[in-house]
């Protein structure tokens, strides 16, 4: 089994910064793509940013220039540096990872974290 645990959420003023972490642990052979999603109250979950195992990144338009996604493959950990936060960034942020759990099979399995709350006040 694989577990994803997010951390680093909290409450900040508009214009402030937070750094989220997502640590994958358990039966892991390798971690492929990792992504950050967020979900605000009453809204659908949306992709914030993603990063491949090789470090290629993509971002939602609403965070480009403000957020930076990164990962440490040795630690099976992904990060989201969130700068110039806006009240509309308020949401629960979820970690997603596609994980190969065994060298016997190249099948990737999808895992989700429980989420971490980010609240940005004006």
């Amino acid at each position: 089994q694989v577990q994803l645990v997010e951390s680093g959420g909290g409450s900040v003023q508009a214009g402030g910064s937070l750094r989220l972490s997502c640590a994958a642990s358990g039966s892991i052979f390798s971690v492929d793509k990792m992504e950050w999603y967020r979900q605000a109250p009453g809204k659908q979950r949306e992709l914030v940013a993603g990063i491949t195992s090789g470090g290629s990144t993509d971002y939602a338009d609403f965070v480009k220039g403000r957020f930076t996604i990164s990962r440490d493959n040795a630690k099976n950990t992904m990060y989201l540096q969130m700068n110039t936060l806006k009240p509309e960034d308020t949401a629960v942020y979820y970690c997603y990872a596609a994980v190969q759990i065994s060298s016997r099979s190249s099948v990737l399995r999808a895992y989700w974290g429980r989420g971490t709350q980010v609240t940005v006040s004006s």
Side-chain angles (χ1 to χ4, degrees):
Q1 182 70 294
V2 174
Q3 299 82 40
L4 303 180
V5 179
E6 302 97 336
S7 61
S11 298
V12 297
Q13 298 268 26
S17 298
L18 287 172
R19 184 173 182 258
L20 306 184
S21 298
C22 171
S25 62
S27 300
I28 297 172
F29 177 74
S30 64
V31 180
D32 193 60
K33 189 172 187 177
M34 301 185 79
E35 296 173 323
W36 287 102
Y37 288 77
R38 71 185 188 187
Q39 187 167 27
K43 302 184 72 175
Q44 292 187 329
R45 187 172 298 187
E46 61 185 353
L47 178 67
V48 176
I51 185 166
T52 69
S53 61
S56 297
T57 61
D58 57 47
Y59 298 91
D61 288 342
F62 53 80
V63 302
K64 285 183 178 177
R66 299 190 296 123
F67 292 7
T68 302
I69 190 171
S70 61
R71 65 191 287 169
D72 184 338
N73 289 335
K75 297 181 179 179
N76 288 327
T77 300
M78 173 179 64
Y79 306 95
L80 186 68
Q81 179 64 48
M82 309 166 66
N83 297 326
T84 319
L85 283 161
K86 304 175 181 179
E88 52 262 44
D89 295 320
T90 296
V92 177
Y93 284 71
Y94 296 93
C95 175
Y96 164 89
V99 180
Q100 183 177 343
I101 65 171
S102 173
S103 62
R104 303 176 188 174
S105 175
S106 61
V107 173
L108 299 178
R109 303 188 182 194
Y111 293 92
W112 291 88
R114 296 281 294 274
T116 185
Q117 177 70 48
V118 171
T119 301
V120 185
S121 60
S122 61

